[in-house]
Amino acid sequence: MNLEQLRAFLAELDGKMRSMLDENPDGLTDEQKKTYDELETQFDETRANIEDAEKRQAKAEARSQYMGQPQRQPLVASPNGGNRNEDDKEKTLYREAFWTAQRRHAMTEPMTRALQVGTDSEGGYIVPQEFQTSLVQALDDENVFRGLASVVTTMSTKNIPLENTRGNAGWVDEEGAYPESDPVFGRMQLGAHKLGRIIKVSEELLNDSFINIEAYIAQNFARSFGAAEEAAFVNGDGTGKPRGVLLDAANGVTAASATAITADEIIDLFHSVKAGYRKNGTWLMNDSTAKLLRKLKDSNGQYLWQPGLQAGVPDMLLGRPVAYSSSMPAVATGVKSIAFGDFGYYQIGDRGSVSMQRLNELYAANGQVGFRMHKRVDGRLTLAEAVKTLTQL
C-alpha cells in the first residue's frame, strides 16, 4: 500500500477500535478484548509502516536537493576553517581525500594537502561536511528528544544564567516608600561528556567499491549514538553523562495506581504546567503507555486522544502533540511514566567536532579494520517548572 492507502487503513482501524469501546461502556468481554488487541496490533504496525515510509520519502527528497547544504548548523568545522562559502571543488577534494584515507587507497598529492586542513590533533580527521550532515540526520531519526530540545554548539563550558527570584512590585501610597525587591540570579553549566564507539569492518567490505561505506558507517554510528544520547537526555544521572529531563522535572501528579492512569490524572497533569509552557507543550511517553491512554474519555464522553491520521499531523492528547521514546519508562511502580511541558527548556550542548580515526593494527589479525568515533555532548533542563511528570504510585 502507498502512503495514502496506509493512512486510510489507519483511520479505519481507529474507527473500529473506538466503536468497540463506545458500544461497550461497561467493558469488553474476553473475546472482545482479543479482537481489540488484534486491531491495536494492526494499528501499531500500520503506524510504524507510515513513519518508515515518510522517513524514506524525506531522505530521498533531501538527497535530490544535494547534501552539501545542511538544514541545521553542522557540529564540525568545514575543511577551510568554517567558511560556508568555500567552493564546491575544495569540499569535493576534501571528501574524496578523507574517505580515500579511510580505505587506504592510493592518494594523490592534492588529496594529501586537502587532508592536512582537517587533521585532528589526536591523529584522526575532522569528519567532512557531507558525512557530518548525514550523521546528524540519522541521529535525529534515532533520537526524538533532539527534535524537542534546544540544541546549541559550544566550544567550552557554557554558563546559563537563571532567574531564581523575580522580585515583586507593591502598591505605593502618595509620597510613600517604594518597596525594595531585587531579582536573584543563579547559573547552570553545560559541560561536555564524551560518547564514543569503535566499529570493526572487514577488509573485504572496506575495499569493495560497490559498498557505500560512508552510509554504512554513518548509520551504524548513528543508531548507537542516538540510542545512548536519548537514554541520557531522558534518564541520565549527570555522572559521566548528561542530566536527564526526568531527573530535574517537577512532579505534577502522582497516579493512584501502579498499573493504570485515569483521564482525570492526565487532565490534572496538563493543568499542573503553567499556561505559558503549555502553549508549546509536548507529551513524552513510552509507546506502551500510549496504548493505555487511547481508551480514556473525559466527563462528556469525548476521547482525550486523537490519532494523527494525516501526513505531518502527530498524535494529539488534549490538543498537544505526543512524542514517543523507548527510553521513557513503561507504567510500573514508582516510575515517572509521562512527561509534559515545553522541552525547549532542555538544552543540549554539542561540544566542538565529531572525530573519527582509523585503527589499522588493532584488529589486523582478524582481517578487520577499526573505526573509532567520538563526540562530546551535555544536556540539562534549565527550568524545572517547564516540564512536569506523572509518577506512578
Side-chain angles (χ1 to χ4, degrees):
M1 290 190 286
N2 59 32
L3 269 173
E4 184 177 348
Q5 292 170 326
L6 285 171
R7 293 189 187 106
F9 185 53
L10 191 71
E12 180 183 340
L13 292 170
D14 181 64
K16 289 180 178 179
M17 289 191 294
R18 293 199 169 191
S19 293
M20 290 187 68
L21 296 174
D22 293 341
E23 293 168 4
N24 299 276
D26 297 327
L28 304 177
T29 65
D30 290 343
E31 188 64 28
Q32 288 171 330
K33 287 180 180 177
K34 181 180 178 181
T35 301
Y36 184 93
D37 289 343
E38 291 173 352
L39 290 171
E40 191 170 50
T41 298
Q42 283 186 286
F43 184 95
D44 291 338
E45 291 174 349
T46 303
R47 186 177 63 182
N49 289 337
I50 290 173
E51 291 174 352
D52 288 342
E54 288 176 339
K55 288 178 182 178
R56 289 195 300 271
Q57 186 180 71
K59 288 179 179 179
E61 292 173 354
R63 283 194 296 269
S64 68
Q65 295 174 1
Y66 178 59
M67 292 176 59
Q69 298 179 3
Q71 296 180 356
R72 70 193 308 175
Q73 182 178 358
L75 306 185
V76 300
S78 300
N80 69 347
N83 181 4
R84 292 175 179 268
N85 295 321
E86 68 193 59
D87 58 49
D88 290 340
K89 182 177 179 180
E90 183 179 356
K91 287 200 301 182
T92 300
L93 185 61
Y94 179 80
R95 180 175 179 275
E96 291 176 353
F98 179 87
W99 288 108
T100 297
Q102 301 310 313
R103 292 171 183 257
R104 282 296 187 264
H105 290 176
M107 294 184 64
T108 64
E109 192 271 336
M111 286 182 177
T112 304
R113 289 203 308 269
L115 275 177
Q116 297 306 310
V117 181
T119 301
D120 191 307
S121 61
E122 295 182 357
Y125 300 107
I126 299 298
V127 177
Q129 185 170 324
E130 289 86 347
F131 177 70
Q132 177 65 47
T133 302
S134 63
L135 176 63
V136 170
Q137 290 170 342
L139 277 173
D140 286 345
D141 288 342
E142 298 294 328
N143 189 337
V144 67
F145 205 90
R146 276 185 170 266
L148 304 176
S150 297
V151 182
V152 296
T153 300
T154 65
M155 299 307 295
S156 61
T157 298
K158 180 179 180 181
N159 291 315
I160 304 172
L162 302 177
E163 184 184 49
N164 293 334
T165 303
R166 295 179 179 177
N168 298 301
W171 297 102
V172 181
D173 293 331
E174 186 174 350
E175 298 183 359
Y178 282 79
E180 297 180 1
S181 182
D182 296 328
V184 177
F185 297 95
R187 71 173 182 174
M188 182 180 293
Q189 289 189 334
L190 273 184
H193 303 288
K194 182 182 283 189
L195 180 63
R197 181 192 173 190
I198 292 176
I199 291 177
K200 293 179 287 184
V201 181
S202 70
E203 294 173 345
E204 291 79 9
L205 176 62
L206 190 62
N207 293 318
D208 188 346
S209 60
F210 294 101
I211 297 296
N212 186 342
I213 194 65
E214 300 170 44
Y216 174 82
I217 293 177
Q219 290 168 6
N220 275 271
F221 274 123
R223 279 194 292 268
S224 56
F225 276 41
E229 282 191 345
E230 181 106 320
F233 295 154
V234 174
N235 290 303
D237 60 9
T239 302
K241 62 177 70 69
R243 289 178 65 91
V245 66
L246 296 185
L247 184 65
D248 291 322
N251 187 54
V253 172
T254 299
S257 169
T259 59
I261 300 170
T262 67
D264 286 345
E265 289 166 348
I266 292 297
I267 294 171
D268 288 344
L269 176 60
F270 180 81
H271 287 284
S272 72
V273 177
K274 292 180 180 179
Y277 304 125
R278 288 203 304 265
K279 67 180 181 180
N280 294 317
T282 299
W283 301 89
L284 185 66
M285 65 189 71
N286 191 290
D287 194 67
S288 62
T289 305
K291 292 183 178 181
L292 300 177
L293 304 189
R294 287 181 193 162
K295 305 173 184 178
L296 299 182
K297 297 181 180 180
D298 62 19
S299 58
N300 296 319
Q302 300 297 313
Y303 285 96
L304 304 185
W305 189 278
Q306 295 297 325
L309 302 177
Q310 298 179 355
V313 178
D315 293 338
M316 306 289 281
L317 180 60
L318 293 178
R320 297 307 306 163
V322 180
Y324 303 99
S325 171
S326 59
S327 296
M328 283 292 292
V331 172
T333 302
V335 306
K336 297 178 179 180
S337 58
I338 301 175
F340 173 70
D342 188 347
F343 291 93
Y345 284 92
Y346 188 96
Q347 287 210 14
I348 296 173
D350 289 314
R351 175 72 64 86
S353 62
V354 178
S355 294
M356 186 168 75
Q357 183 180 20
R358 174 177 167 132
L359 308 175
N360 291 316
E361 307 300 331
L362 189 58
Y363 307 105
N366 296 322
Q368 295 174 317
V369 175
F371 292 91
R372 184 184 70 174
M373 180 173 282
H374 73 268
K375 64 177 297 187
R376 298 168 70 199
V377 63
D378 198 6
R380 189 166 180 178
L381 182 64
T382 56
L383 280 180
E385 65 179 25
V387 179
K388 298 288 186 72
T389 61
L390 182 144
T391 304
Q392 304 298 141
L393 183 67

